[in-house]
Amino acid sequence: MNFVFPKPAPLSPDTIARFAAIVGDKQALTDPADVHAYVTEERNLFTGTSPLVLRPGSTAEVAAICKLATETRTAIVPQGGNTGLVGGQTPYGGEVVLSLKRMDKIRDLDTSSNTMTAEAGLVLHIAQQRAADADRLFPLSLGSEGSCTIGGNLSSNAGGTTALAYGIAREMALGLEVVLADGRILNGLSKLKKDNTGYDLRNIFIGAEGTLGIITAATLKLFPKPRAVETAFVGLKSPADALKLLDISRGAAGGNLTSFELIAHIAVDFSVRHGIGIRDPLTSKHDWYVLMELSSGRDDARATLESILERGFEDGIVDDAVIAENMSQRQAFWKLREEISPAQRPEGGSIKHDISVPVAAVPAFIAEANAAVAKVMPGARPVPFGHLGDGNIHYNVSQPSETLGDAAGREAFLSRWHDVSDVVFEVVLRMGGSISAEHGIGQLKAADLPGVKDPVAMELMRSFKAMLDPLNILNPGKVLLPVQR
């Protein structure tokens, strides 16, 4: 079944005034200088325009906005911290941006139920801090955690560095409050871990990138706060050796293995070269590195980590390793990892991929993708790094070093984005992987999705969209492109 979604009507001055009346003039931005920050994103890959940015302060205001949007056929782009990497939060042009940043309250924190009920605009780092203040852990952790929001995390189904032990955003939410396109409010803020009363509507909206409804609040899972955290930075020869070390670590640490990051030498080199105050923790260079972390409710994490590394040395897997001796050293290890993405900017254009393959296939994927990229674009520099423990690799490709500083060379390189992505995705799909592991589809991959998704799944997705948003006013052009008859 194919659906052709109606094109939303353009905004009139009268309609703008009616929207502004819902939130108040101070929270309705129309000046281009004020709007600019909401229609651009940090990588400057996606730039749009909007006649109006609305900053509601309550779920009731979001509902009123959606009701009026349905009446006037006004397109809306929901936005959290504006940290998305695939353009899901950026308007094309003419849509109203609905920023949820003002909705940042923690409505409830229940240590008996191990839950926190938070509004969509709450910054992830604040959620982590409030959980820690209550002697609990909210484990979702991302490089953008200082500015990304809970609503955006859930709408994109964010992953991060702790997914190995705790899962991705979907697995951290027990319930949602969602405003539908017509203004109805779905109240599903349940603390229950067991609720078998029909369809699980929560998971329809998580990962939907605001195309089916606007998440305004969520009940989140909390976990016991670890008593001991131990972190190591390891040098090895290959991703295959890293995979062997992962197997050893899982066998020894079980669920206490909370992070296992694979990093290519070039990524470490970029981070050390361009990051402020960053250095390689090891005394000599290695082709590959692993940043691994164990968390435990007991005081045995250090001994377990030491035994893992000893086994790695004995088996010829580990070439060198250092364990953080204090919090500042641990933070320095993670700072190196977090700076990898921004450190690619001074290295010219970067064609980015957020893919996943079965964990056992990661070494083969990297080798085959490197060969495919070299063939289609000689001189391009692959920069693979990411979450080996769950098979999610950020396979980025930097422009050839000989064209650095050449604006025309950068543009020529970026113009080949789809050529490079095509060969990378071919390897991913052949290995049973996904072209989007944790960043979402947004604008960047919407055209690719029908070619990689099961046709029946695509049909069901379009059916959900047509049922919940028949006028196509919620984030149009993201995830699902209109079907032309």
Side-chain angles (χ1 to χ4, degrees):
M1 183 184 298
N2 291 338
F3 295 94
V4 179
F5 299 116
K7 184 177 181 181
L11 228 56
S12 68
D14 176 65
T15 301
I16 290 176
R18 292 177 69 188
F19 277 117
I22 295 172
V23 298
D25 290 341
K26 289 185 179 180
Q27 305 303 336
L29 311 180
T30 56
D31 187 314
D34 296 329
V35 169
H36 178 75
Y38 296 87
V39 299
T40 56
E41 44 83 42
E42 63 179 20
R43 292 194 297 171
N44 292 318
L45 281 179
F46 305 98
T47 302
T49 60
S50 175
L52 177 64
V53 175
L54 297 173
R55 292 166 44 88
S58 68
T59 301
E61 289 183 357
V62 176
I65 290 167
C66 287
K67 185 176 181 180
L68 180 56
T70 293
E71 176 191 334
T72 58
R73 294 198 172 190
T74 300
I76 293 174
V77 177
Q79 189 179 99
N82 195 16
T83 61
L85 298 175
V86 292
Q89 78 282 14
T90 309
Y92 284 116
E95 305 101 316
V96 170
V97 174
L98 195 156
S99 171
L100 295 157
K101 280 187 175 181
R102 290 181 61 226
M103 295 182 60
D104 61 356
K105 299 179 182 63
I106 294 178
R107 298 182 185 176
D108 179 71
L109 202 159
D110 184 346
T111 55
S112 295
S113 297
N114 275 330
T115 61
M116 174 193 295
T117 301
E119 292 184 338
L122 183 69
V123 172
L124 174 56
H125 182 59
I126 301 300
Q128 295 168 342
Q129 286 184 322
R130 287 295 300 275
D133 292 343
D135 198 33
R136 295 295 186 271
L137 172 72
F138 182 60
L140 187 64
S141 182
L142 315 172
S144 60
E145 61 192 30
S147 51
C148 66
T149 62
I150 294 299
N153 298 151
L154 292 170
S155 293
S156 61
N157 193 24
T161 57
T162 61
L164 169 63
Y166 298 101
I168 54 180
R170 172 174 282 116
E171 295 165 88
M172 297 183 197
L174 287 170
L176 299 180
E177 177 184 85
V178 182
V179 175
L180 303 180
D182 59 9
R184 287 179 295 164
I185 300 172
L186 173 65
N187 185 2
L189 291 175
S190 172
K191 297 180 182 180
L192 301 177
K193 289 183 170 61
K194 292 182 177 181
D195 182 1
N196 204 12
T197 54
Y199 303 143
D200 185 358
L201 300 178
R202 167 195 57 175
N203 278 325
I204 294 175
F205 300 100
I206 296 177
E209 302 182 45
T211 62
L212 301 179
I214 300 173
I215 296 172
T216 50
T219 301
L220 307 169
K221 294 179 185 178
L222 302 181
F223 296 82
K225 190 176 180 180
R227 302 302 171 200
V229 178
E230 298 290 345
T231 311
F233 202 82
V234 183
L236 3 72
K237 295 182 179 65
S238 69
D241 283 342
L243 188 60
K244 293 175 184 176
L245 183 62
L246 174 63
D247 289 340
I248 293 171
S249 302
R250 281 174 163 165
N256 290 338
L257 179 65
T258 48
S259 297
F260 200 94
E261 300 289 293
L262 176 68
I263 310 173
H265 165 70
I266 188 173
V268 171
D269 186 48
F270 284 1
S271 194
V272 170
R273 188 185 310 168
H274 302 295
I276 297 174
I278 294 176
R279 64 179 185 85
D280 189 335
L282 302 179
T283 55
S284 59
K285 293 185 176 182
H286 301 268
D287 291 337
W288 290 89
Y289 299 85
V290 161
L291 173 57
M292 59 183 296
E293 192 160 272
L294 273 61
S295 304
S296 176
R298 301 178 297 182
D299 294 328
D300 58 351
R302 179 78 176 205
T304 302
L305 181 55
E306 289 175 346
S307 69
I308 290 169
L309 295 176
E310 287 173 6
R311 170 77 182 277
F313 279 114
E314 291 171 359
D315 291 356
I317 297 168
V318 172
D319 291 337
D320 196 5
V322 59
I323 299 176
E325 295 295 337
N326 49 50
M327 177 60 73
S328 62
Q329 194 172 18
R330 176 185 174 231
Q331 291 173 339
F333 291 178
W334 280 107
K335 180 67 172 174
L336 185 153
R337 164 65 177 85
E338 291 161 2
E339 285 295 316
I340 291 173
S341 290
Q344 290 170 73
R345 294 173 195 153
E347 294 292 333
S350 178
I351 298 174
K352 299 181 182 295
H353 308 93
D354 162 47
I355 67 89
S356 62
V357 295
V359 173
V362 168
F365 161 75
I366 292 174
E368 293 188 29
N370 285 354
V373 168
K375 186 174 181 179
V376 75
M377 188 173 289
R381 297 173 292 166
V383 188
F385 65 98
H387 322 302
L388 178 61
D390 52 43
N392 174 198
I393 299 298
H394 300 297
Y395 187 82
N396 299 344
V397 181
S398 288
Q399 76 181 79
S401 55
E402 59 266 24
T403 62
L404 289 181
D406 178 2
R410 181 180 187 277
E411 291 307 311
F413 171 77
L414 292 177
S415 72
R416 303 287 305 281
W417 189 298
H418 291 293
D419 295 333
V420 173
S421 293
D422 284 347
V423 299
V424 173
F425 290 166
E426 189 279 326
V427 178
V428 170
L429 297 174
R430 179 158 41 80
M431 294 184 173
S434 169
I435 67 169
S436 179
E438 61 181 7
H439 292 165
I441 298 298
Q443 300 179 45
L444 183 63
K445 300 177 183 179
D448 296 312
L449 190 61
V452 302
K453 195 79 173 175
D454 174 74
V456 174
M458 288 298 300
E459 182 179 332
L460 290 174
M461 288 170 62
R462 293 192 179 103
S463 297
F464 287 136
K465 176 68 170 174
M467 177 183 67
L468 293 170
D469 183 20
L471 298 179
N472 193 30
I473 63 172
L474 293 181
N475 220 4
K478 317 296 172 52
V479 185
L480 291 175
L481 294 179
V483 176
Q484 302 298 324
R485 285 176 177 163

